[in-house]
Amino acid sequence: MKVPGRSHFWMWLPFLQLLVSGAEQEGVAGPAVELPRGRGAAVPQRRPWVLDGCRRLSGLLRQKAAVLNKLEDAIRAVERDASLSDQEKLFRVHTLEIFQKELNESENSVFQAVHGLQRALQGDYRDVANMKESSRQRLEALREAAIKEETEYVELLAAEKHQVEALKHTQHRNKSLSLLDEILEDVRRAADRLELEIEEHAFDDNKSVRGVNFEAVLRVEEEEADPQQNLSRREVEEDLGLSMLIDSQNNQYILTRPRDATIPRADHHLIKDLVSIVMLSLPCGWLCTTIGLPTMFGYIICGVLLGPSGLNSIKSIVQVETLGEFGVFFTLFLVGLEFSPEKLRKVWKISLQGPCYMTLLMVAFGLVWGHLLQIRPTQSVFISACLSLSSTPLVSKFLVGSARSDKEGDIDYGALLLGMLVTQDVQLGLFIAILPTLIQAGAGAHASVAMEALRLLALVGQVLFSLAAVLLVCLLVRTYLVGPYCRKLHVESKGNKEILVLGVSAFTFLMLTVTELLGVSMELGCFLAGALVSSQGHAAAEEVVSCVEPVRDFLAIVFFASIGLHVFPTFVLYELTVLLVLTLSVVVMKFVLAALVLSLLLPKTSQYVKWIVAAGLAQVSEFALVLGSRARRARVISREVYLLILSVTTLSLLLAPLLWRAAVARCAPRPERRSSL
């Protein structure tokens, strides 16, 4: 921003005179708002008031010019002073320049206010766009002024620190230093160098980056601070506690990287949130076990009670959800451990074809209903794709520990379910890749239908290429890496199980990273990691399960509680009838489509399996919430549609255990019923 000098006053003087001469006229505001005046309006009193203001402003500007001349003389005197060191000269000159900048910025603020008044008087109160633009310009000016004030404040803090150090240096020079004082002085200088080396000037480095916006935020200090303590601002800033920032859009931010990285800090909000979740999950889980429901519903209820629709005591929602994702990772890893490649060879064709046919049928039904309800095709395709997915963690909970028979000629419904869910995980990665295309299609940015079809085919080819690369990596890892790695872990972990847990976690995260880099979902990488470990034999898999399962159970509690954070009972109660109809329609449609597709793909000797698999696929995956949130941010779907997807997903997950138990009790062979229930 250009800093005004002394000549700016003479540039603005005709405008000030215009204000004085026009104060007595009726049309001084032009097209601005005409306010009715009462009988007691004193128009002639405006002229002395304006003249007095102009005289004061003129006097202040003359004083400011005189002070600037004196500051220039002082700077030249400091530069000529031979008794000062170069560092001291730079410090004193910099301090005087800060004062100069403060004077110029104050003058600039005055003329910006005058310019804003002129723009407001020339505007039209009926022109909302013009008033919005004026408000935006004032907001930008305030943001820039706030940035400059913050910069000056930091510089003044540095100047204050320099003065304190200079005073200490003078005091130490006047007295002899002891050995301890010399050591502490050396440590102080080393600490100063360390702070300069590790300090990141993130604010100064990023404020000029393209796409960075300046916004006003509120800083909320921790509630634990004692209000009776009289702390200075610097002492508050250097306190070990964490502040919370709230922007104008009501987004809340927690400190992720402190300025001083030498002091350890802890996110007390996250600690309290995790403590609350664990403590409340216990009675909620006990309650669900007592009434015959899976414990996962107790964890979801815990999230509802602590979330925004309940006590609203969870502050670090994003951090809790992020930690809950690790529960999904370890759940899929254990599913992979129980996954038998030999059983998958029997059902791999059905596992690939079934989900694809189901998704195509869901999209076709969605387009038909969208046409009848006059919904945009992009919304119809996206909603149908979201609803076609099923919950892998939930079905994994159903299958863990269930003893299924392995009769000759029969198809294991567990292996078939897992195979179809793996295919759906691959489809999830495809949906995320196609989402930008849906955004462009919804905005009308596509050139033609043919171009969009070609782009879609290119995305499908890219996903297929990524899958082929993942399979090649798995083959190489199984051949050259996983065998020696598991044997080494077995030897090193004797009497030290933490090495086994750490090694298995590292291998899982390695496969997770590989699949993420290849453009496939991270969840598939965790599943493949478990399958690779299980290929080393039953004994190795059992040893890993005994160590990893407690970690998975704790993280799964956090995951299901994070789902409850997005459940809003008030919205469900307001629209209970509509939501029940939609949820039952989706569950019934998915159940019927899955049974229909499997009846065409399964052999006649295993037709009973279709009802169990269809019951396992009848709910909606929790990853529909992830896709829905991304689509809502990209304006592919509206807020109302997102809330409907969220509520239908949650209700379908609540109905899933009932449908699963009914299907297993009625269709599974007798030896398998007890273990599956």
Side-chain angles (χ1 to χ4, degrees), residues 23-193:
E24 300 175 356
Q25 300 178 7
E26 294 291 334
V28 77
V33 182
E34 297 181 0
L35 299 176
R37 293 196 297 267
R39 296 181 180 179
V43 178
Q45 293 181 1
R46 296 179 181 175
R47 183 180 180 86
W49 181 83
V50 175
L51 289 175
D52 184 60
C54 291
R55 282 194 295 269
R56 291 184 180 181
L57 178 60
S58 177
L60 289 175
L61 292 177
R62 284 195 295 269
Q63 292 179 16
K64 177 251 182 183
V67 172
L68 286 178
N69 291 330
K70 292 181 180 179
L71 290 174
E72 291 290 343
D73 296 337
I75 290 175
R76 286 192 291 269
V78 170
E79 292 175 346
R80 291 194 300 267
D81 192 349
S83 63
L84 298 176
S85 63
D86 293 339
Q87 185 177 3
E88 187 66 23
K89 285 182 180 180
L90 289 175
F91 164 70
R92 294 192 179 186
V93 169
H94 184 60
T95 304
L96 294 173
E97 288 176 348
I98 293 175
F99 191 40
Q100 283 182 327
K101 188 186 300 182
E102 177 68 21
L103 293 174
N104 288 328
E105 289 299 327
S106 300
E107 179 186 357
N108 191 20
S109 300
V110 173
F111 289 111
Q112 280 183 347
V114 175
H115 181 68
L117 177 60
Q118 181 188 25
R119 187 171 58 250
L121 292 174
Q122 293 175 351
D124 187 353
Y125 72 95
R126 290 164 297 187
D127 188 358
V128 179
N130 180 63
M131 289 191 291
K132 179 182 177 182
E133 178 63 22
S134 299
S135 177
R136 187 193 64 80
Q137 292 180 6
R138 289 195 300 271
L139 185 59
E140 289 294 332
L142 289 174
R143 287 172 176 169
E144 293 182 6
I147 295 299
K148 292 179 179 178
E149 288 294 334
E150 188 71 23
T151 304
E152 290 181 11
Y153 178 76
V154 173
E155 292 176 350
L156 290 174
L157 286 179
E160 181 185 11
K161 181 180 179 181
H162 182 84
Q163 287 180 347
V164 173
E165 291 178 352
L167 180 61
K168 288 182 178 180
H169 180 71
T170 303
Q171 293 175 351
H172 286 302
R173 190 170 53 185
N174 295 332
K175 66 178 182 179
S176 60
L177 294 178
S178 64
L179 180 60
L180 179 60
D181 292 333
E182 292 180 356
I183 294 175
L184 292 177
E185 184 66 20
D186 292 338
V187 172
R188 184 190 63 80
R189 287 193 292 266
D192 291 339
R193 288 195 299 269

Side-chain angles (χ1 to χ4, degrees), residues 140 143-144 147 202-215:
E140 289 294 332
R143 287 172 176 169
E144 293 182 6
I147 295 299
F203 186 85
D204 296 330
D205 296 341
N206 292 293
K207 66 182 181 182
S208 59
V209 176
R210 183 178 180 182
V212 174
N213 298 320
F214 298 130
E215 292 190 4

Side-chain angles (χ1 to χ4, degrees), residues 216-442:
V217 296
L218 299 176
R219 178 171 177 171
V220 181
E221 301 295 340
E222 281 192 323
E223 298 177 356
E224 290 79 3
D226 189 359
Q228 296 180 355
Q229 292 181 351
N230 295 322
L231 300 178
S232 64
R233 177 175 175 179
R234 186 174 181 180
E235 290 173 337
V236 172
E237 289 176 349
E238 294 179 352
D239 185 35
L240 295 183
L242 294 176
S243 302
M244 179 181 294
L245 299 181
I246 306 175
D247 65 7
S248 58
Q249 303 297 323
N250 292 322
N251 296 310
Q252 300 180 9
Y253 303 88
I254 299 293
L255 180 65
T256 57
R257 181 184 175 90
R259 181 190 63 182
D260 187 1
T262 61
I263 303 178
R265 299 171 186 253
D267 189 349
H268 299 291
H269 298 289
L270 179 59
I271 293 175
K272 292 179 181 178
D273 293 342
L274 293 178
V275 168
S276 302
I277 289 174
V278 173
M279 291 180 64
L280 189 58
S281 295
L282 181 60
C284 292
W286 276 348
L287 179 62
C288 290
T289 304
T290 303
I291 62 179
L293 290 176
T295 55
M296 56 165 286
F297 287 113
Y299 309 148
I300 294 176
I301 294 173
C302 169
V304 174
L305 295 177
L306 296 176
S309 58
L311 300 176
N312 197 22
S313 62
I314 302 297
K315 302 299 182 183
S316 304
I317 294 180
V318 176
Q319 286 77 8
V320 170
E321 292 175 349
T322 304
L323 185 61
E325 286 299 313
F326 286 90
V328 178
F329 296 156
F330 282 100
T331 297
L332 291 175
F333 173 77
L334 291 180
V335 170
L337 279 177
E338 298 189 358
F339 186 72
S340 174
E342 289 74 16
K343 294 180 180 179
L344 181 61
R345 292 191 184 98
K346 301 179 182 179
V347 297
W348 70 271
K349 290 185 179 180
I350 304 175
S351 300
L352 290 177
Q353 296 176 5
C356 296
Y357 292 155
M358 288 179 59
T359 302
L360 292 176
L361 290 174
M362 285 287 292
V363 171
F365 276 105
L367 289 173
V368 172
W369 280 104
H371 179 72
L372 296 176
L373 300 176
Q374 297 181 352
I375 302 176
R376 296 201 313 267
T378 53
Q379 279 197 9
S380 301
V381 171
F382 180 81
I383 295 172
S384 303
C386 283
L387 298 180
S388 66
L389 299 175
S390 301
S391 175
T392 303
L394 181 63
V395 177
S396 302
K397 280 281 189 179
F398 295 157
L399 295 177
V400 169
S402 59
R404 296 174 293 276
S405 62
D406 193 15
K407 296 180 181 179
E408 187 68 27
D410 283 355
I411 291 180
D412 183 5
Y413 65 83
L416 180 58
L417 255 177
L418 290 178
M420 297 181 73
L421 289 172
V422 169
T423 304
Q424 288 191 350
D425 288 337
V426 175
Q427 289 179 348
L428 174 64
L430 179 61
F431 294 156
I432 294 176
I434 292 176
L435 188 58
T437 303
L438 292 177
I439 296 172
Q440 295 178 4

